[in-house]
Protein backbone atom coordinates (compact mmCIF):
# COMPACT_ATOMS: atom_id res chain seq x y z
CA UNK A 1 0.00 0.00 0.00
CA UNK A 2 1.26 3.50 -0.79
CA UNK A 3 2.52 5.60 2.11
CA UNK A 4 -0.26 8.20 2.08
CA UNK A 5 -3.13 5.74 1.67
CA UNK A 6 -6.13 6.42 3.89
CA UNK A 7 -8.13 3.77 5.73
CA UNK A 8 -11.68 3.91 6.98
CA UNK A 9 -12.67 2.93 10.51
CA UNK A 10 -14.30 -0.51 10.03
CA UNK A 11 -15.88 -0.70 13.47
CA UNK A 12 -17.53 2.68 13.06
CA UNK A 13 -18.91 1.65 9.67
CA UNK A 14 -20.25 -1.57 11.19
CA UNK A 15 -21.83 0.26 14.13
CA UNK A 16 -23.61 2.59 11.71
CA UNK A 17 -24.91 -0.37 9.67
CA UNK A 18 -26.16 -2.03 12.86
CA UNK A 19 -27.90 1.16 13.97
CA UNK A 20 -29.57 1.42 10.55
CA UNK A 21 -30.67 -2.22 10.85
CA UNK A 22 -32.80 -1.29 13.86
CA UNK A 23 -35.03 0.97 11.78
CA UNK A 24 -37.74 -1.02 10.02
CA UNK A 25 -36.51 -4.40 11.25
CA UNK A 26 -38.41 -7.19 9.52
CA UNK A 27 -38.47 -10.96 10.11
CA UNK A 28 -35.57 -10.75 12.52
CA UNK A 29 -32.63 -10.21 10.18
CA UNK A 30 -34.13 -8.04 7.45
CA UNK A 31 -35.54 -4.62 6.81
CA UNK A 32 -38.84 -3.34 5.55
CA UNK A 33 -38.14 0.35 5.02
CA UNK A 34 -40.27 1.45 2.11
CA UNK A 35 -39.59 4.77 0.43
CA UNK A 36 -41.19 7.75 2.21
CA UNK A 37 -42.63 5.58 5.01
CA UNK A 38 -42.36 6.35 8.73
CA UNK A 39 -39.31 4.06 8.86
CA UNK A 40 -37.70 5.88 5.93
CA UNK A 41 -38.36 9.17 7.76
CA UNK A 42 -36.61 7.86 10.87
CA UNK A 43 -33.59 6.64 8.88
CA UNK A 44 -33.37 9.89 6.94
CA UNK A 45 -33.40 11.86 10.20
CA UNK A 46 -30.59 9.70 11.56
CA UNK A 47 -28.53 10.14 8.39
CA UNK A 48 -29.05 13.92 8.39
CA UNK A 49 -28.10 14.00 12.05
CA UNK A 50 -24.93 12.00 11.44
CA UNK A 51 -24.02 14.18 8.45
CA UNK A 52 -24.45 17.41 10.43
CA UNK A 53 -22.44 15.98 13.34
CA UNK A 54 -19.71 15.29 10.79
CA UNK A 55 -19.75 18.95 9.79
CA UNK A 56 -21.72 18.61 6.55
CA UNK A 57 -24.25 21.09 5.29
CA UNK A 58 -27.46 19.34 4.23
CA UNK A 59 -29.74 20.21 1.33
CA UNK A 60 -32.95 18.44 0.37
CA UNK A 61 -34.58 18.78 -3.03
CA UNK A 62 -38.26 18.73 -3.97
CA UNK A 63 -38.18 14.94 -4.35
CA UNK A 64 -36.54 14.34 -0.98
CA UNK A 65 -33.09 13.51 -2.38
CA UNK A 66 -30.62 14.40 0.40
CA UNK A 67 -27.24 16.03 -0.33
CA UNK A 68 -24.79 16.21 2.61
CA UNK A 69 -21.74 18.24 1.68
CA UNK A 70 -18.33 18.39 3.34
CA UNK A 71 -16.84 21.63 2.11
CA UNK A 72 -13.65 21.70 0.08
CA UNK A 73 -11.04 24.44 0.10
CA UNK A 74 -12.30 25.79 -3.24
CA UNK A 75 -16.09 26.24 -3.00
CA UNK A 76 -16.28 27.23 -6.68
CA UNK A 77 -15.44 23.66 -7.79
CA UNK A 78 -18.16 21.00 -8.18
CA UNK A 79 -17.90 18.30 -5.48
CA UNK A 80 -17.10 14.62 -5.76
CA UNK A 81 -20.43 12.91 -5.11
CA UNK A 82 -20.85 9.55 -3.38
CA UNK A 83 -24.32 8.11 -3.09
CA UNK A 84 -26.83 5.28 -2.97
CA UNK A 85 -30.14 4.71 -1.16
CA UNK A 86 -31.53 4.04 2.32
CA UNK A 87 -34.93 2.61 1.32
CA UNK A 88 -35.43 -1.16 1.04
CA UNK A 89 -37.65 -3.78 -0.52
CA UNK A 90 -40.64 -5.15 1.43
CA UNK A 91 -38.60 -8.22 2.45
CA UNK A 92 -35.27 -6.44 2.07
CA UNK A 93 -31.84 -6.78 3.57
CA UNK A 94 -29.68 -4.48 5.67
CA UNK A 95 -27.01 -3.62 3.12
CA UNK A 96 -28.54 -3.05 -0.33
CA UNK A 97 -27.98 0.69 -0.90
CA UNK A 98 -27.38 1.33 2.78
CA UNK A 99 -23.76 0.19 2.63
CA UNK A 100 -23.09 2.72 -0.14
CA UNK A 101 -24.56 5.71 1.70
CA UNK A 102 -22.89 4.79 4.98
CA UNK A 103 -19.52 4.22 3.26
CA UNK A 104 -19.93 7.76 1.86
CA UNK A 105 -20.49 9.02 5.39
CA UNK A 106 -17.48 6.99 6.55
CA UNK A 107 -15.34 8.74 3.91
CA UNK A 108 -16.34 12.09 5.44
CA UNK A 109 -15.73 10.88 8.99
CA UNK A 110 -12.31 9.50 8.06
CA UNK A 111 -11.27 12.82 6.52
CA UNK A 112 -12.46 14.53 9.71
CA UNK A 113 -10.36 12.13 11.84
CA UNK A 114 -7.29 13.05 9.84
CA UNK A 115 -8.09 16.77 9.75
CA UNK A 116 -7.79 16.71 5.96
CA UNK A 117 -9.39 19.27 3.68
CA UNK A 118 -9.82 18.32 0.04
CA UNK A 119 -9.77 20.88 -2.76
CA UNK A 120 -13.24 19.91 -3.96
CA UNK A 121 -16.02 19.16 -1.52
CA UNK A 122 -17.32 15.64 -0.93
CA UNK A 123 -21.09 15.26 -1.20
CA UNK A 124 -22.85 12.21 0.23
CA UNK A 125 -26.23 11.55 -1.36
CA UNK A 126 -29.29 9.55 -0.36
CA UNK A 127 -31.56 9.12 -3.40
CA UNK A 128 -35.33 8.83 -2.92
CA UNK A 129 -37.06 5.54 -3.81
CA UNK A 130 -34.33 3.53 -5.50
CA UNK A 131 -36.17 0.27 -4.92
CA UNK A 132 -39.47 1.07 -6.59
CA UNK A 133 -41.14 -1.20 -4.03
CA UNK A 134 -43.78 1.33 -3.02
CA UNK A 135 -43.77 3.72 -5.98
CA UNK A 136 -42.84 2.62 -9.50
CA UNK A 137 -40.48 2.97 -11.34
CA UNK A 138 -37.34 2.21 -9.35
CA UNK A 139 -34.50 4.78 -9.21
CA UNK A 140 -37.11 7.49 -9.19
CA UNK A 141 -35.14 10.19 -7.36
CA UNK A 142 -31.96 9.79 -9.37
CA UNK A 143 -33.80 9.52 -12.70
CA UNK A 144 -35.71 12.72 -12.02
CA UNK A 145 -32.43 14.35 -10.93
CA UNK A 146 -30.90 13.35 -14.27
CA UNK A 147 -33.90 14.67 -16.20
CA UNK A 148 -34.92 11.21 -17.39
CA UNK A 149 -38.27 11.40 -15.51
CA UNK A 150 -40.37 14.58 -15.37
CA UNK A 151 -40.66 15.89 -11.81
CA UNK A 152 -44.39 16.58 -11.96
CA UNK A 153 -45.18 13.02 -13.06
CA UNK A 154 -42.99 11.65 -10.26
CA UNK A 155 -44.84 13.79 -7.68
CA UNK A 156 -48.19 12.53 -9.03
CA UNK A 157 -47.20 8.83 -8.94
CA UNK A 158 -49.31 6.87 -6.44
CA UNK A 159 -48.69 3.74 -4.38
CA UNK A 160 -51.17 0.84 -4.14
CA UNK A 161 -53.15 2.73 -1.49
CA UNK A 162 -53.51 5.78 -3.75
CA UNK A 163 -51.05 7.98 -1.82
CA UNK A 164 -49.00 10.21 -4.14
CA UNK A 165 -45.27 10.78 -3.90
CA UNK A 166 -46.01 14.45 -3.23
CA UNK A 167 -48.32 13.63 -0.32
CA UNK A 168 -45.89 11.03 1.06
CA UNK A 169 -43.03 13.55 0.91
CA UNK A 170 -45.18 16.07 2.80
CA UNK A 171 -46.23 13.43 5.34
CA UNK A 172 -42.62 12.78 6.33
CA UNK A 173 -41.46 16.38 5.87
CA UNK A 174 -39.03 15.72 3.03
CA UNK A 175 -40.39 17.81 0.15
CA UNK A 176 -37.36 20.05 0.31
CA UNK A 177 -36.77 23.53 -1.07
CA UNK A 178 -33.94 22.79 -3.52
CA UNK A 179 -34.69 22.34 -7.23
CA UNK A 180 -34.29 18.83 -8.67
CA UNK A 181 -31.15 18.43 -10.80
CA UNK A 182 -28.88 21.18 -12.16
CA UNK A 183 -26.39 20.33 -9.47
CA UNK A 184 -22.95 19.82 -10.98
CA UNK A 185 -20.74 16.96 -9.78
CA UNK A 186 -17.07 16.54 -10.58
CA UNK A 187 -17.89 12.84 -10.64
CA UNK A 188 -20.23 10.35 -8.97
CA UNK A 189 -19.06 7.17 -7.24
CA UNK A 190 -21.36 4.49 -5.84
CA UNK A 191 -20.41 1.48 -3.77
CA UNK A 192 -22.97 -1.32 -3.63
CA UNK A 193 -23.18 -4.97 -2.68
CA UNK A 194 -22.98 -7.11 -5.82
CA UNK A 195 -26.41 -8.77 -5.32
CA UNK A 196 -25.09 -11.75 -7.29
CA UNK A 197 -22.71 -14.51 -6.18
CA UNK A 198 -19.58 -14.09 -8.34
CA UNK A 199 -17.37 -12.03 -5.99
CA UNK A 200 -18.32 -14.20 -3.03
CA UNK A 201 -17.64 -17.44 -4.89
CA UNK A 202 -14.35 -16.25 -6.37
CA UNK A 203 -13.08 -14.95 -3.05
CA UNK A 204 -12.54 -11.51 -4.59
CA UNK A 205 -13.53 -8.49 -2.49
CA UNK A 206 -13.81 -5.76 -5.13
CA UNK A 207 -15.71 -5.52 -8.39
CA UNK A 208 -15.06 -2.50 -10.59
CA UNK A 209 -18.25 -2.15 -12.58
CA UNK A 210 -17.56 -1.41 -16.23
CA UNK A 211 -21.21 -1.46 -17.31
CA UNK A 212 -24.58 -3.06 -16.87
CA UNK A 213 -26.70 -5.81 -18.33
CA UNK A 214 -29.09 -4.60 -20.99
CA UNK A 215 -32.45 -4.51 -19.19
CA UNK A 216 -36.03 -3.92 -20.27
CA UNK A 217 -39.27 -3.88 -18.27
CA UNK A 218 -42.56 -4.65 -20.00
CA UNK A 219 -45.98 -3.79 -18.65
CA UNK A 220 -48.63 -6.21 -19.91
CA UNK A 221 -52.36 -5.62 -19.75
CA UNK A 222 -54.32 -8.81 -20.30
CA UNK A 223 -57.95 -8.26 -21.17
CA UNK A 224 -60.73 -10.86 -21.10
CA UNK A 225 -64.11 -10.75 -19.46
CA UNK A 226 -65.44 -11.80 -16.07
CA UNK A 227 -68.15 -14.28 -15.19
CA UNK A 228 -69.33 -16.99 -12.83
CA UNK A 229 -66.75 -19.55 -11.73
CA UNK A 230 -69.47 -22.21 -11.74
CA UNK A 231 -72.03 -21.35 -14.35
CA UNK A 232 -69.93 -20.17 -17.27
CA UNK A 233 -69.00 -23.07 -19.60
CA UNK A 234 -65.23 -23.45 -19.93
CA UNK A 235 -65.28 -22.86 -23.68
CA UNK A 236 -67.03 -19.49 -23.23
CA UNK A 237 -64.51 -18.01 -20.84
CA UNK A 238 -61.99 -15.30 -21.62
CA UNK A 239 -60.08 -15.62 -18.36
CA UNK A 240 -57.34 -13.00 -18.11
CA UNK A 241 -55.68 -14.81 -15.22
CA UNK A 242 -55.27 -17.92 -17.37
CA UNK A 243 -53.58 -15.77 -20.03
CA UNK A 244 -51.32 -14.41 -17.29
CA UNK A 245 -50.49 -17.92 -16.13
CA UNK A 246 -49.39 -18.98 -19.61
CA UNK A 247 -47.26 -15.82 -19.94
CA UNK A 248 -45.62 -16.27 -16.53
CA UNK A 249 -44.65 -19.88 -17.24
CA UNK A 250 -43.43 -19.10 -20.77
CA UNK A 251 -41.36 -16.11 -19.62
CA UNK A 252 -39.67 -18.27 -17.02
CA UNK A 253 -38.93 -20.99 -19.59
CA UNK A 254 -37.29 -18.37 -21.81
CA UNK A 255 -35.10 -17.31 -18.88
CA UNK A 256 -34.09 -20.92 -18.37
CA UNK A 257 -33.30 -21.29 -22.07
CA UNK A 258 -30.92 -18.30 -21.89
CA UNK A 259 -29.52 -19.06 -18.43
CA UNK A 260 -26.39 -20.67 -19.89
CA UNK A 261 -25.09 -17.27 -20.95
CA UNK A 262 -26.54 -15.36 -18.02
CA UNK A 263 -29.91 -14.33 -19.44
CA UNK A 264 -32.58 -13.46 -16.90
CA UNK A 265 -36.36 -13.22 -17.13
CA UNK A 266 -38.80 -12.47 -14.33
CA UNK A 267 -42.47 -11.75 -13.98
CA UNK A 268 -42.22 -9.49 -10.97
CA UNK A 269 -45.74 -8.31 -10.32
CA UNK A 270 -49.34 -9.34 -10.91
CA UNK A 271 -52.55 -7.37 -10.33
CA UNK A 272 -55.83 -9.10 -11.05
CA UNK A 273 -59.34 -7.68 -11.31
CA UNK A 274 -61.79 -8.39 -9.75
CA UNK A 275 -59.55 -10.87 -7.89
CA UNK A 276 -62.43 -12.47 -5.99
CA UNK A 277 -63.61 -16.00 -5.29
CA UNK A 278 -66.56 -17.07 -7.40
CA UNK A 279 -65.44 -15.17 -10.50
CA UNK A 280 -62.81 -15.44 -13.17
CA UNK A 281 -60.59 -12.49 -14.02
CA UNK A 282 -61.51 -9.73 -16.45
CA UNK A 283 -58.18 -7.92 -16.45
CA UNK A 284 -54.68 -8.73 -15.25
CA UNK A 285 -51.62 -6.49 -15.28
CA UNK A 286 -48.17 -8.07 -15.26
CA UNK A 287 -44.74 -6.54 -15.00
CA UNK A 288 -42.06 -8.57 -16.76
CA UNK A 289 -38.36 -7.84 -16.92
CA UNK A 290 -35.57 -9.44 -18.88
CA UNK A 291 -31.83 -8.89 -18.95
CA UNK A 292 -28.86 -10.03 -20.98
CA UNK A 293 -25.27 -8.94 -21.33
CA UNK A 294 -25.18 -9.34 -25.13
CA UNK A 295 -27.22 -7.08 -27.44
CA UNK A 296 -27.94 -9.82 -29.99
CA UNK A 297 -29.06 -12.34 -27.39
CA UNK A 298 -31.11 -9.61 -25.71
CA UNK A 299 -32.95 -8.97 -28.99
CA UNK A 300 -33.51 -12.71 -29.42
CA UNK A 301 -34.99 -12.91 -25.92
CA UNK A 302 -37.35 -10.07 -26.73
CA UNK A 303 -38.51 -11.85 -29.88
CA UNK A 304 -39.09 -15.05 -27.90
CA UNK A 305 -41.05 -13.17 -25.25
CA UNK A 306 -43.20 -11.41 -27.87
CA UNK A 307 -43.94 -14.78 -29.49
CA UNK A 308 -44.83 -16.34 -26.14
CA UNK A 309 -47.19 -13.47 -25.34
CA UNK A 310 -48.99 -13.88 -28.67
CA UNK A 311 -49.32 -17.65 -28.15
CA UNK A 312 -50.58 -17.17 -24.59
CA UNK A 313 -53.21 -14.68 -25.77
CA UNK A 314 -54.46 -17.09 -28.41
CA UNK A 315 -54.54 -20.09 -26.10
CA UNK A 316 -56.47 -18.20 -23.37
CA UNK A 317 -58.67 -16.33 -25.83
CA UNK A 318 -57.70 -12.94 -24.37
CA UNK A 319 -56.05 -9.76 -25.63
CA UNK A 320 -52.62 -8.76 -24.38
CA UNK A 321 -51.29 -5.22 -24.74
CA UNK A 322 -47.57 -4.68 -24.23
CA UNK A 323 -46.09 -1.34 -23.17
CA UNK A 324 -42.40 -0.78 -22.57
CA UNK A 325 -41.41 0.28 -19.05
CA UNK A 326 -37.99 1.31 -17.79
CA UNK A 327 -34.86 0.18 -19.52
CA UNK A 328 -31.15 0.70 -19.45
CA UNK A 329 -28.21 -0.29 -21.54
CA UNK A 330 -24.71 -1.62 -21.12
CA UNK A 331 -22.24 1.22 -21.65
CA UNK A 332 -22.91 3.45 -18.71
CA UNK A 333 -19.82 4.55 -16.96
CA UNK A 334 -17.05 7.04 -17.66
CA UNK A 335 -13.72 5.50 -18.73
CA UNK A 336 -11.87 8.14 -16.68
CA UNK A 337 -13.68 7.04 -13.50
CA UNK A 338 -13.23 3.33 -14.20
CA UNK A 339 -9.54 4.05 -14.79
CA UNK A 340 -9.34 6.01 -11.52
CA UNK A 341 -10.75 3.05 -9.60
CA UNK A 342 -8.37 0.59 -11.28
CA UNK A 343 -5.33 2.79 -10.72
CA UNK A 344 -6.26 3.46 -7.10
CA UNK A 345 -6.90 -0.24 -6.41
CA UNK A 346 -3.49 -1.00 -7.92
CA UNK A 347 -1.80 1.60 -5.71
CA UNK A 348 -3.54 0.21 -2.64
CA UNK A 349 -2.55 -3.35 -3.60
CA UNK A 350 -6.20 -4.41 -3.63
CA UNK A 351 -7.14 -7.26 -6.00
CA UNK A 352 -10.25 -6.59 -8.06
CA UNK A 353 -12.10 -7.92 -11.04
CA UNK A 354 -13.98 -6.02 -13.72
CA UNK A 355 -17.62 -6.91 -14.01
CA UNK A 356 -21.02 -5.90 -15.32
CA UNK A 357 -23.98 -5.27 -13.06
CA UNK A 358 -27.09 -7.39 -13.39
CA UNK A 359 -29.05 -5.01 -11.15
CA UNK A 360 -30.16 -1.42 -11.74
CA UNK A 361 -28.60 1.36 -9.68
CA UNK A 362 -28.93 5.10 -9.12
CA UNK A 363 -25.49 5.39 -10.73
CA UNK A 364 -27.04 4.51 -14.11
CA UNK A 365 -29.16 7.66 -14.02
CA UNK A 366 -26.43 9.89 -12.63
CA UNK A 367 -24.06 8.61 -15.32
CA UNK A 368 -26.10 10.54 -17.90
CA UNK A 369 -25.20 13.87 -16.22
CA UNK A 370 -21.80 13.29 -14.55
CA UNK A 371 -18.75 11.04 -14.99
CA UNK A 372 -19.67 7.96 -12.96
CA UNK A 373 -18.35 4.59 -11.83
CA UNK A 374 -19.30 1.88 -9.33
CA UNK A 375 -17.59 -0.42 -6.87
CA UNK A 376 -19.14 -3.77 -5.94
CA UNK A 377 -18.47 -5.62 -2.70
CA UNK A 378 -19.42 -9.24 -1.97
CA UNK A 379 -22.58 -10.42 -0.26
CA UNK A 380 -23.02 -13.98 0.98
CA UNK A 381 -24.09 -16.30 -1.86
CA UNK A 382 -25.29 -13.23 -3.73
CA UNK A 383 -28.53 -13.23 -1.73
CA UNK A 384 -30.28 -9.85 -1.94
CA UNK A 385 -33.81 -8.42 -1.84
CA UNK A 386 -34.18 -11.00 0.91
CA UNK A 387 -34.00 -10.73 4.70
CA UNK A 388 -31.04 -13.14 4.68
CA UNK A 389 -28.83 -10.67 2.79
CA UNK A 390 -25.45 -10.74 4.58
CA UNK A 391 -21.96 -9.29 4.27
CA UNK A 392 -18.65 -9.83 6.01
CA UNK A 393 -17.17 -6.60 7.30
CA UNK A 394 -13.61 -7.70 6.47
CA UNK A 395 -14.62 -8.30 2.84
CA UNK A 396 -16.39 -4.92 2.61
CA UNK A 397 -13.53 -2.80 3.95
CA UNK A 398 -11.30 -3.09 0.83
CA UNK A 399 -14.07 -1.62 -1.34
CA UNK A 400 -14.70 1.13 1.20
CA UNK A 401 -10.99 2.00 1.24
CA UNK A 402 -10.96 2.07 -2.56
CA UNK A 403 -13.94 4.45 -2.49
CA UNK A 404 -12.21 6.67 0.07
CA UNK A 405 -8.89 6.93 -1.74
CA UNK A 406 -10.42 7.32 -5.20
CA UNK A 407 -12.76 10.05 -3.97
CA UNK A 408 -9.91 11.92 -2.28
CA UNK A 409 -7.69 11.62 -5.36
CA UNK A 410 -10.44 13.04 -7.51
CA UNK A 411 -11.36 15.72 -4.95
CA UNK A 412 -7.78 16.98 -4.88
CA UNK A 413 -7.51 17.37 -8.65
ZN1 LIG B 1 -29.71 -1.04 -4.17
Amino acid sequence: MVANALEINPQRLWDSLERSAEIGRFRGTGLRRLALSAEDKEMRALFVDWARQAGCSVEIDRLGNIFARRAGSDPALPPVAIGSHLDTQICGGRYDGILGVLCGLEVVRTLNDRGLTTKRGIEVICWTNEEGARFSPPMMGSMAFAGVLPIESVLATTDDAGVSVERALDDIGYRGPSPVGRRPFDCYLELHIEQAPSLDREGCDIGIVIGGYRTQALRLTIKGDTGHAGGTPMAMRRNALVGAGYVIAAVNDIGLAYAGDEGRTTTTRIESFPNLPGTYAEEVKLTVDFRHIDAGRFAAMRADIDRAIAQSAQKANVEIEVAEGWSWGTELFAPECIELLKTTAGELGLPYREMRSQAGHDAYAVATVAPTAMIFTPCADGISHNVNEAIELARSVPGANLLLNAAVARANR
Side-chain angles (χ1 to χ4, degrees), residues 46-115:
L46 178 63
F47 171 67
V48 167
D49 212 39
W50 278 340
R52 290 206 172 113
Q53 281 170 25
C56 293
S57 57
V58 176
E59 276 187 54
I60 297 161
D61 74 14
R62 278 181 70 208
L63 294 181
N65 294 316
I66 304 172
F67 304 87
R69 186 182 297 207
R70 183 181 195 267
S73 60
D74 186 347
L77 294 175
V80 169
I82 301 171
S84 200
H85 59 96
L86 295 170
D87 68 318
T88 77
Q89 287 286 336
I90 283 176
C91 301
R94 303 168 163 209
Y95 308 104
D96 171 1
I98 299 155
L99 181 64
V101 176
L102 297 184
C103 279
L105 185 66
E106 183 54 39
V107 167
V108 167
R109 288 168 164 174
T110 302
L111 292 173
N112 290 346
D113 292 344
R114 299 288 199 94

Side-chain angles (χ1 to χ4, degrees), residues 84-85 87 95-98 130-131 190 192-193 195 359-362 384-385:
S84 200
H85 59 96
D87 68 318
Y95 308 104
D96 171 1
I98 299 155
E130 191 276 344
E131 294 291 0
E190 181 165 348
H192 204 284
I193 57 168
Q195 304 181 282
H361 295 290
D362 292 308
S384 187
H385 288 186

Side-chain angles (χ1 to χ4, degrees), residues 117-133:
T117 303
T118 50
K119 190 169 156 195
R120 295 166 184 276
I122 305 265
E123 192 153 285
V124 184
I125 303 171
C126 164
W127 299 108
T128 293
N129 186 30
E130 191 276 344
E131 294 291 0

Side-chain angles (χ1 to χ4, degrees), residues 274-295:
N275 203 28
L276 290 171
T279 63
Y280 57 91
E282 176 182 275
E283 184 175 285
V284 174
K285 291 179 190 289
L286 297 179
T287 306
V288 168
D289 97 38
F290 63 103
R291 310 179 187 214
H292 204 287
I293 198 165
D294 177 77

